[in-house]
């Protein structure tokens, strides 16, 4: 036994928690090692001092007083709550009274509705303003125009994903997810992703390209979902969005882009579109 | 002495008399454990009251897999930790050296029930011990008190505090080394 091993066993030895074999080994080491023996003696001496700790004497009525106090608390717990004087409905009080889990479900349902409307506007009601799909333009856009197109793609993807991640099937307030519409939108965005990946290849926007690629995986999953009732598959998509931090990345990219755009009245060396 | 299992069952059925008997059986043990943990009489009383309130609330869930005493010890340690977190009990702590925070434990005040003729040295020793205990972190103190004063096996302490037995050993060893340091002056004198 080494000194290190011996010292590791001090505690168990002192409290009698070594088996016979370990005990014999421990004692044999102490016999031959003056340093460990001295260290163990010091430990025992410390504990002998701690043994002299005295508990205070309790008053003779400690037990009764303790019970009386406890019984009063138990009575207070069992008693029906006393009627409270009417209180002014301050905003903070109203907030406290609010049923937050229910409120959050309603908010989520409302968000899905709003996002559904936005999806409709973005993807299907814009007539001539629809995104030109891959191959529909004969030439590559200038870098700044490409950024605008990428921004448009990110914004639409974000709206779509928000609708999906906020949707909860098992709540009474859940609204039906317009599944075919989500899938059509995903397929359109996939075509755009294919174009952007190629177009961004030559630019220095590796981060943006990586984000487009991340989104492409999720959009592909949505486009290939077989049934709108396949809740586990929808959950898998939601988990994927969460795990990859896609919404956060989109937000960061939007912030980065907003910061790099010239403010009104600000002259910029960058060429305008 | 009535059978504890029977008392527990009756208390679980809502018999207040049975619950009172259980309280009377364990109130001193719980109080002294709380006192060792927090070093302050008032806090010890508050903690032990809280322990029995919790015991009353959760007794229907007690299945008798552990001894009632172990269950009560566990609640006591948890209450101590909670109180420590919530109100930052003014016990001494090695990590808490800010001015004004090193109040000596309340037990340094003369005990009303103590023999006034007791040697001053003994009183000093009690102060020293309480102060040394107060220097330990709450976890070190819990482990030390449960092993040294309550004589619970290391394994049981681990289960009670939901930590590995190896961690219990390490905490206990660290606690003793710290006590050794705190008591060094006294040890040099004797």
């Amino acid at each position: 036994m080494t000194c290190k091993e011996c010292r590791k066993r001090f505690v168990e030895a002192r409290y009698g928690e070594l088996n016979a074999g370990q005990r014999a080994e421990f004692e044999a080491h102490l016999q031959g090692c003056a340093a460990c023996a001295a260290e163990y003696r010091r430990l025992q001496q410390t504990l002998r001092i701690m043994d002299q700790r005295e508990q205070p004497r309790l008053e003779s009525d400690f037990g009764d007083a303790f019970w009386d106090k406890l019984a009063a608390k138990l009575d207070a717990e069992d008693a029906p709550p006393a009627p409270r004087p009417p209180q002014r409905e301050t905003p903070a009080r109203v907030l406290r009274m609010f049923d937050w889990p229910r409120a959050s479900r309603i908010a989520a349902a409302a968000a899905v509705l709003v996002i559904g409307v936005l999806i409709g506007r973005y993807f299907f009601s814009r007539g001539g303003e629809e995104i030109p799909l891959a191959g529909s333009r004969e030439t590559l856009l200038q870098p700044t125009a490409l950024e605008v197109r990428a921004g448009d793609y990110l914004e639409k993807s974000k709206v779509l994903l928000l609708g999906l991640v906020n949707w909860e099937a098992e709540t009474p307030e859940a609204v039906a997810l317009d599944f075919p519409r989500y899938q059509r939108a995903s397929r359109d965005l996939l075509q755009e992703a294919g174009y952007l990946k190629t177009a961004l290849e030559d630019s220095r926007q590796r981060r943006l390209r990586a984000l487009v690629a991340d989104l492409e995986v999720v959009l592909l999953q949505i486009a290939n979902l077989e049934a709108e009732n396949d809740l586990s598959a929808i959950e898998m998509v939601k988990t994927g969005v969460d795990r990859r931090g896609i919404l956060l990345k989109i937000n960061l990219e939007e912030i980065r882009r907003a910061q790099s755009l010239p403010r009104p009245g600000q002259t910029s060396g960058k060429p305008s579109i | 002495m009535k059978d504890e299992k029977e008392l527990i069952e009756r208390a679980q059925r809502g018999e207040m008399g049975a619950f009172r008997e259980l309280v009377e059986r364990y109130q001193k043990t719980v109080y002294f454990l709380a006192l060792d943990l927090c070093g302050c009489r008032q806090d010890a009383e508050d903690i032990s009251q809280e322990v029995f309130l919790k015991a009353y609330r959760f007794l229907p869930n007690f299945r008798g897999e552990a001894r009632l005493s172990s269950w009560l010890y566990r609640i006591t340690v948890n209450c101590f930790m909670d109180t420590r977190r919530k109100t930052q009990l003014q016990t001494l702590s090695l990590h808490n050296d800010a001015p004004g925070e090193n109040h000596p434990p309340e037990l340094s005040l003369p005990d009303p029930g103590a023999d006034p003729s007791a040697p001053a040295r003994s009183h000093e020793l009690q102060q020293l011990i309480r102060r040394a205990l107060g220097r330990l972190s709450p976890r070190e103190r819990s482990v030390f008190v449960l092993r040294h004063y309550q004589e619970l096996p290391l394994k049981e302490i681990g289960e009670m505090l939901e930590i590995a037995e190896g961690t219990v050993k390490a905490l206990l060893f660290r606690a003793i080394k710290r006590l050794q340091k705190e008591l060094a002056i006294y040890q040099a004198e004797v």
Side-chain angles (χ1 to χ4, degrees):
Chain A
M1 178 184 268
T2 64
C3 291
K4 196 176 170 187
E5 285 165 344
C6 174
R7 285 169 197 217
K8 269 189 176 176
R9 290 191 172 167
F10 274 3
V11 162
E12 292 157 284
R14 167 59 180 77
Y15 291 109
E17 294 205 20
L18 291 178
N19 62 36
Q22 291 169 329
R23 182 93 212 164
E25 207 182 353
F26 178 79
E27 282 172 359
H29 180 87
L30 286 192
Q31 295 250 325
C33 178
C36 285
E39 182 66 28
Y40 188 59
R41 265 198 308 276
R42 275 197 292 277
L43 181 141
Q44 286 183 306
Q45 197 185 358
T46 300
L47 293 176
R48 272 197 296 274
I49 296 174
M50 294 306 287
D51 282 339
Q52 295 180 58
R53 180 285 266 116
E54 290 168 4
Q55 293 289 23
R57 260 181 255 158
L58 297 174
E59 322 238 335
S60 55
D61 66 343
F62 173 84
D64 288 339
F66 188 90
W67 173 256
D68 290 346
K69 206 171 164 183
L70 183 66
K73 289 179 185 172
L74 292 173
D75 283 346
E77 275 206 350
D78 288 342
R84 305 168 92 183
Q87 294 182 0
R88 235 177 100 224
E89 301 296 331
T90 61
R93 189 172 142 69
V94 171
L95 284 174
R96 277 200 301 275
M97 289 161 60
F98 213 63
D99 174 4
W100 283 110
R102 184 180 163 81
S104 63
R105 288 198 302 270
I106 292 171
V112 172
L113 273 176
V114 170
I115 287 163
V117 171
L118 286 175
I119 286 173
R121 274 199 197 161
Y122 268 117
F123 292 95
F124 305 105
S125 311
R126 279 179 147 184
E129 289 177 35
E130 277 186 24
I131 305 171
L133 300 178
S136 64
R137 291 242 177 136
E138 55 293 345
T139 54
L140 283 178
L141 300 174
Q142 292 298 311
T144 315
L146 182 64
E147 279 188 17
V148 171
R149 190 163 165 175
D152 201 12
Y153 166 81
L154 291 181
E155 198 179 343
K156 287 177 178 176
S157 302
K158 184 177 161 183
V159 169
L160 187 134
L161 293 182
L162 278 173
L164 201 71
V165 298
N166 281 310
W167 182 70
E168 285 181 45
E170 291 173 5
T171 57
E173 295 84 3
V175 291
L177 199 63
D178 187 351
F179 216 72
R181 178 179 276 196
Y182 271 78
Q183 290 195 299
R184 279 200 303 276
S186 298
R187 280 194 283 270
D188 288 346
L189 285 167
L190 276 170
Q191 287 191 42
E192 183 67 2
Y195 164 76
L196 285 171
K197 272 170 61 185
T198 313
L200 290 166
E201 201 147 46
D202 295 330
S203 74
R204 291 173 188 169
Q205 296 173 299
R206 277 190 300 134
R207 192 169 43 194
L208 183 57
R209 189 174 184 280
L211 178 54
V212 170
D214 269 349
L215 266 169
E216 191 180 26
V217 175
V218 177
L219 292 169
L220 200 63
Q221 284 178 327
I222 298 171
N224 290 330
L225 286 173
E226 287 190 1
E228 61 189 279
N229 296 325
D230 190 352
L231 299 179
S232 62
I234 294 175
E235 275 310 310
M236 203 172 75
V237 174
K238 287 164 80 168
T239 309
V241 172
D242 187 43
R243 204 181 57 234
R244 289 189 173 92
I246 286 180
L247 288 169
L248 176 68
K249 285 180 188 169
I250 294 177
N251 285 339
L252 290 174
E253 184 59 29
E254 284 175 343
I255 291 168
R256 191 189 65 77
R257 285 159 48 78
Q259 283 173 343
S260 66
L261 287 175
R263 294 192 187 96
Q266 183 184 346
T267 54
S268 167
K270 286 185 179 178
S272 58
I273 302 170
Chain B
M1 186 180 274
K2 282 179 192 164
D3 176 39
E4 187 167 281
K5 194 167 172 245
E6 185 202 321
L7 272 181
I8 293 169
E9 284 169 0
R10 281 172 46 209
Q12 284 176 324
R13 288 196 298 267
E15 266 187 54
M16 197 53 101
F19 182 68
R20 181 174 183 168
E21 277 193 56
L22 288 173
V23 172
E24 282 170 353
R25 202 171 274 195
Y26 287 104
Q27 61 192 4
K28 284 184 187 170
T29 315
V30 166
Y31 173 79
F32 283 135
L33 171 59
L35 189 56
D36 276 333
L37 290 171
C38 67
C40 164
R41 286 183 151 198
Q42 186 55 55
D43 290 332
E45 195 180 328
D46 290 346
I47 288 173
S48 34
Q49 287 273 324
E50 184 63 24
V51 169
F52 286 106
L53 274 175
K54 283 193 173 163
Y56 179 75
R57 276 181 221 142
F58 295 107
L59 198 61
N61 301 339
F62 179 73
R63 292 180 187 167
E65 287 158 358
R67 281 174 292 150
L68 184 68
S69 58
S70 301
W71 190 64
L72 291 172
Y73 289 164
R74 183 182 189 147
I75 301 176
T76 309
V77 173
N78 286 338
C79 281
F80 161 66
M81 297 281 198
D82 285 348
T83 313
R84 179 79 189 173
R85 270 193 293 269
K86 282 180 199 159
T87 61
Q88 290 292 300
L89 288 176
Q90 293 179 327
T91 48
L92 295 170
S93 160
L94 198 64
H95 308 291
N96 207 354
D97 287 330
E101 289 188 5
N102 272 352
H103 304 297
E106 197 182 301
L107 281 177
S108 62
L109 297 171
D111 176 7
D115 179 2
S117 64
R121 184 156 183 81
S122 169
H123 180 66
E124 274 174 32
L125 177 61
Q126 295 307 312
Q127 274 195 334
L128 193 67
I129 290 172
R130 291 290 177 194
R131 189 171 293 127
L133 268 177
R135 294 274 182 188
L136 304 181
S137 76
R139 283 211 323 166
E140 288 167 350
R141 208 177 318 162
S142 302
V143 167
F144 179 80
V145 166
L146 289 171
R147 176 59 262 197
H148 194 75
Y149 293 134
Q150 302 297 330
E151 299 180 352
L152 297 183
L154 298 169
K155 191 175 173 214
E156 196 174 330
I157 296 171
E159 286 164 1
M160 192 179 286
L161 302 182
E162 293 176 341
I163 52 178
E165 192 180 337
T167 311
V168 177
K169 281 182 214 167
L171 283 167
L172 185 55
F173 186 69
R174 212 159 64 199
I176 297 171
K177 293 303 281 182
R178 195 165 278 180
L179 292 171
Q180 196 171 310
K181 198 175 155 195
E182 290 300 319
L183 299 173
I185 300 169
Y186 184 84
Q187 282 174 306
E189 284 177 15
V190 287

